[in-house]
Amino acid sequence: MGIENVAQYLKSHGIKPSYQRVRVFEYLITNRNHPTVDTVYKALADEIPTLSKTTVYNTLKLFAEKNIVLVINIEDNEIRYDADTSVHGHFKCLKCNKVYDFQFDEENLNIKSIEGFDFHQTHVYIKGICKNCKMNY
Amino acid sequence: MGIENVAQYLKSHGIKPSYQRVRVFEYLITNRNHPTVDTVYKALADEIPTLSKTTVYNTLKLFAEKNIVLVINIEDNEIRYDADTSVHGHFKCLKCNKVYDFQFDEENLNIKSIEGFDFHQTHVYIKGICKNCKMNY
DNA sequence: TTATATATTTGTAACGATTACATTATTGTT
DNA sequence: AACAATAATGTAATCGTTACAAATATATAA
Ligand SMILES: [Mn+2]
Ligand SMILES: [Mn+2]
Ligand SMILES: [Zn+2]
Ligand SMILES: [Zn+2]
C-alpha cells in the first residue's frame, strides 16, 4: 500500500495516532504477513519493552472497527489481520502455514439464491499446498 | 441431502456408528442450521440426558477429519458445522445471525497469482443483512 | 507553567471455549 | 463368561481473549 504518513492516515480514519498505534500499523504495512496478535506483540516487544499485549488487542480491534484492517478467519484457532483492505482472497498453505494473497473477480462469482441481500463484506479463503511446498517435499 | 441410512453412511466413511454419532449426524441433516457445538449439545441433551458436551466436540471433530462435515469460520467467536459438503457459500446476517447457503461459480472466480497451488478447500463467506431483516426494520 | 480533564496504556484477574485425561460404559470376539 | 478394544463421560487444565482498575500520557484552561 502507499501509505507515507501513518499518523495522518490514522487521523483521517478517526483514530488518534498514539505511538503504539502508529507502530502497530507500521508493522502491518511493512510486514505483509497477515499476523496474529501474538505475532505483532512478539515482534514489537523488543523495540517497545513496555508494550502490553492488551494494547495490541485493543489497537487491532479499533483498527477493525474503523475499517483500516481486515479480520481474517481462515482457521478456527487463529485470528489474523491485514492492513490491505482491498477486495482480495487468502490462501493458507497447510504445510508452511503461510498466507498468500490472490485476486479474484467478485462479479463473476455469479451468486444465486440470495438476491436482495445487502453485502457488507466478502471473504474468499482457500486452503491447500503452496507451490514451494509442493516442490520441496 | 439424500442420506437414508445414517449408520451406513458413517460406516462408508470409516466411522463406527455409535448411538451418539448417529444422533449428532441426524441432527445436522434434519436441521440445516449450521449449528455450533453448543447448539447441537443443547438440542440433543433433552433426549439424550447422559450426553456429554465433550462427546459432541469429539464427534464433530471426527466428522470433520473424515470429511463428512464442513467447518465454517465466518465469525471469529463461533465455529459452525455443516453436513452439506458440496461446494457452496455462506452468508451470515449481522442482524438475525442466521447463516444462509448460496451457490456460486467456482470456475469463474478467475483466480490469479497463485498458479500451481493445490486447492484442498474453498470457502466463500459473505456478511451483511438478509432480505427479511431489511424489510422488517 | 500549573491545574484539571480526557484518553490511552498497562498489568492482572476473570472468562469461556476447547482440549486433555482418567474413569466408566459399551461393544465385539474368543 | 471373560477379555480386549473402542467410545462416552465428567472433571480439570489450557489458552486466547476480555474486563477492569491503576498508572501514564495527552490535551485544554486558567
Ligand atoms: Mn491479504
Ligand atoms: Mn451450508
Ligand atoms: Zn507452503
Ligand atoms: Zn437477517
Side-chain angles (χ1 to χ4, degrees), chain B residues 23-137:
Chain B
R23 292 300 303 272
V24 168
F25 197 78
E26 279 175 352
Y27 177 87
L28 291 175
I29 56 178
T30 57
N31 315 73
R32 322 281 225 78
N33 52 348
H34 309 94
T36 64
V37 163
D38 202 57
T39 304
V40 174
Y41 173 73
K42 285 203 170 80
L44 294 181
D46 297 330
E47 307 172 27
I48 314 172
T50 63
L51 183 66
S52 165
K53 194 178 273 191
T54 300
T55 298
V56 181
Y57 274 105
N58 291 339
T59 300
L60 289 171
K61 174 175 286 187
L62 177 67
F63 288 175
E65 285 167 5
K66 299 295 188 181
N67 295 308
I68 62 168
V69 299
L70 295 179
V71 180
I72 301 176
N73 296 305
I74 308 188
E75 301 272 14
D76 50 33
N77 55 354
E78 62 177 21
I79 306 176
R80 289 166 174 260
Y81 296 88
D82 191 348
D84 178 1
T85 55
S86 69
V87 175
H88 66 287
H90 292 102
F91 178 98
K92 174 160 181 177
C93 175
L94 301 171
K95 265 195 178 137
C96 66
N97 292 321
K98 212 177 291 177
V99 172
Y100 296 82
D101 291 319
F102 63 86
Q103 306 307 125
F104 62 89
D105 293 344
E106 202 180 8
E107 318 79 40
N108 293 353
L109 261 178
N110 201 4
I111 289 164
K112 298 143 197 148
S113 79
I114 49 172
E115 292 94 358
F117 287 41
D118 279 351
F119 293 4
H120 291 190
Q121 293 178 49
T122 301
H123 290 275
V124 177
Y125 297 137
I126 301 180
K127 299 182 201 178
I129 308 295
C130 77
K131 207 173 189 175
N132 263 340
C133 289
K134 272 175 67 182
M135 297 193 299
N136 300 336
Y137 292 92

Side-chain angles (χ1 to χ4, degrees), chain A residues 16 18 20-21 50-52 54-55 58-59:
Chain A
K16 292 200 181 177
S18 75
Q20 288 86 345
R21 289 169 179 172
T50 63
L51 183 66
S52 165
T54 300
T55 297
N58 292 340
T59 299

Side-chain angles (χ1 to χ4, degrees), chain A residues 42-88:
Chain A
K42 285 203 172 81
L44 294 180
D46 296 331
E47 307 172 29
I48 315 173
T50 63
L51 183 66
S52 165
K53 193 179 273 191
T54 300
T55 297
V56 181
Y57 274 106
N58 292 340
T59 299
L60 289 171
K61 176 176 285 189
L62 178 67
F63 287 175
E65 284 167 5
K66 300 294 187 182
N67 294 308
I68 63 168
V69 299
L70 296 178
V71 180
I72 301 176
N73 295 305
I74 309 188
E75 300 272 14
D76 50 33
N77 55 355
E78 62 177 20
I79 305 177
R80 290 166 173 260
Y81 296 87
D82 190 348
D84 179 0
T85 55
S86 68
V87 175
H88 65 285

